[in-house]
Amino acid sequence: MNPILEIVLAFLSSFGLLCLGWMLFGRLLAPWKDAHCKPVYAVVPASGAGVGLEQTVRAVKRLQMTQNRPVCVVIADDGLDATGRAVADVLAREEAWVTVRPIVDVRGIVKEYNLT
């Protein structure tokens, strides 16, 4: 057999085994989704035009998909202007797990659960 072909096949085999090991190791670290798995809540403070708001929510969505965990995003409105509020409302309409709340409500929840 051609030595270059052998090297390529050895490399691809090693890479495949490495990927398989990585996936199995990731499964050990990330718990299986079950009935007792509680959602993770992410509070995203937003103000002004909501710069970076959509990117942050999309990043949480990627985290949700890779970790196979339910995630809820609470956008804490800390003075969103009309543009920022429109962005937040569109995100909340597109995704059922995204809500928009005034920051005063979110601060009350944080104090209630002593999360400060």
Side-chain angles (χ1 to χ4, degrees):
M1 201 154 120
N2 187 354
I4 294 177
L5 183 60
E6 288 180 15
I7 292 171
V8 170
L9 286 176
F11 174 76
L12 290 176
S13 299
S14 301
F15 184 72
L17 287 174
L18 180 69
C19 289
L20 180 64
W22 182 263
M23 286 175 31
L24 292 174
F25 184 69
R27 273 289 146 207
L28 288 174
L29 294 179
W32 292 93
K33 189 174 181 180
D34 62 5
H36 304 292
C37 188
K38 302 291 183 198
V40 175
Y41 287 89
V43 177
V44 180
S47 61
V51 176
L53 186 58
E54 183 176 0
Q55 290 81 3
T56 303
V57 171
R58 300 292 178 228
V60 172
K61 184 176 185 174
R62 281 192 300 276
L63 176 68
Q64 177 182 16
M65 292 182 336
T66 58
Q67 294 299 316
N68 199 22
R69 285 195 61 115
V71 177
C72 297
V73 174
V74 178
I75 298 173
D77 183 350
D78 190 19
L80 286 169
D81 61 15
T83 304
R85 184 62 192 203
V87 170
D89 288 340
V90 166
L91 289 169
R93 234 184 348 264
E94 286 179 354
E95 306 289 354
W97 45 271
V98 176
T99 60
V100 182
R101 296 280 182 256
I103 196 147
V104 177
D105 292 351
V106 177
R107 284 186 182 143
I109 292 170
V110 169
K111 285 180 183 176
E112 180 182 335
Y113 288 99
N114 198 19
L115 299 175
T116 55

